[in-house]
């Protein structure tokens, strides 16, 4: 099943419990946390969940308007929050947070610029 965040919330009324064995949430760093929670409502303790995204790209900070939502954490994505939590949890938890270094999508000169500016020169063409 492939769906949007909003449709996933509506699907939860029709999908039987224990239906999903795996979930992949794409653009997890760009979506607001409540949007990412919607599909997770259909997970259970045995569901394997993978959240992918790039927190160095445009994220919810630009989408969340108003002082109160930002003060209450809605300016951070679920992926960002989990990443910080994993970093504080020790080496066992950190092994589950993976950064992909190889880039096949852009010219080497463009990659070098963003790699130097945002990724501590760690990206490879």
């Amino acid at each position: 099943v492939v769906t949007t965040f909003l449709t996933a919330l509506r699907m939860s009324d029709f999908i039987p419990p224990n239906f999903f064995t795996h979930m992949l949430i794409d653009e997890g760093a760009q979506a607001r946390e409540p949007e990412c929670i919607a599909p997770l409502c259909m997970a259970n303790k045995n569901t394997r969940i993978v959240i992918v995204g790039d927190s160095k790209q445009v994220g919810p900070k630009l989408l969340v308007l108003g002082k109160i939502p930002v003060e209450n954490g809605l300016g951070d994505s679920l992926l960002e929050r989990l990443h910080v939590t994993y970093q504080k949890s020790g080496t066992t938890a950190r092994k589950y947070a993976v950064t992909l270094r190889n880039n096949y999508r852009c010219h080497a000169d463009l990659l070098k610029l963003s790699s130097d500016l945002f990724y501590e020169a760690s990206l490879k063409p």
Side-chain angles (χ1 to χ4, degrees):
V1 175
V2 177
T3 182
T4 64
F5 291 118
L6 181 59
T7 303
L9 185 59
R10 292 186 178 146
M11 286 175 52
S12 65
D13 293 334
F14 306 102
I15 300 293
N18 304 318
F19 181 79
F20 291 107
T21 59
H22 295 78
M23 289 184 174
L24 173 74
I25 299 177
D26 193 15
E27 300 296 352
Q30 283 69 41
R32 293 169 283 211
E33 186 166 346
E35 293 168 326
C36 283
I37 296 293
L40 297 179
C41 293
M42 293 181 283
N44 61 47
K45 66 180 183 174
N46 298 314
T47 306
R48 300 294 180 240
I49 299 167
V50 177
I51 304 174
V52 297
D54 185 348
S55 60
K56 304 212 186 216
Q57 294 180 4
V58 174
K61 285 179 179 44
L62 294 178
L63 300 173
V64 175
L65 303 176
K67 185 178 179 181
I68 294 173
V70 171
E71 287 174 352
N72 286 286
L74 291 178
D76 297 322
S77 68
L78 177 61
L79 183 66
E80 288 175 287
R81 191 167 60 79
L82 290 174
H83 185 73
V84 169
T85 300
Y86 276 136
Q87 293 302 314
K88 293 177 182 176
S89 298
T91 56
T92 301
R94 273 193 295 246
K95 73 179 182 179
Y96 295 105
V98 177
T99 301
L100 301 177
R101 304 280 181 212
N102 293 332
N103 184 299
Y104 306 100
R105 296 175 53 184
C106 68
H107 190 276
D109 292 339
L110 293 174
L111 180 63
K112 181 174 178 2
L113 175 66
S114 60
S115 180
D116 291 347
L117 290 174
F118 303 109
Y119 300 92
E120 297 161 0
S122 64
L123 301 181
K124 302 173 189 173

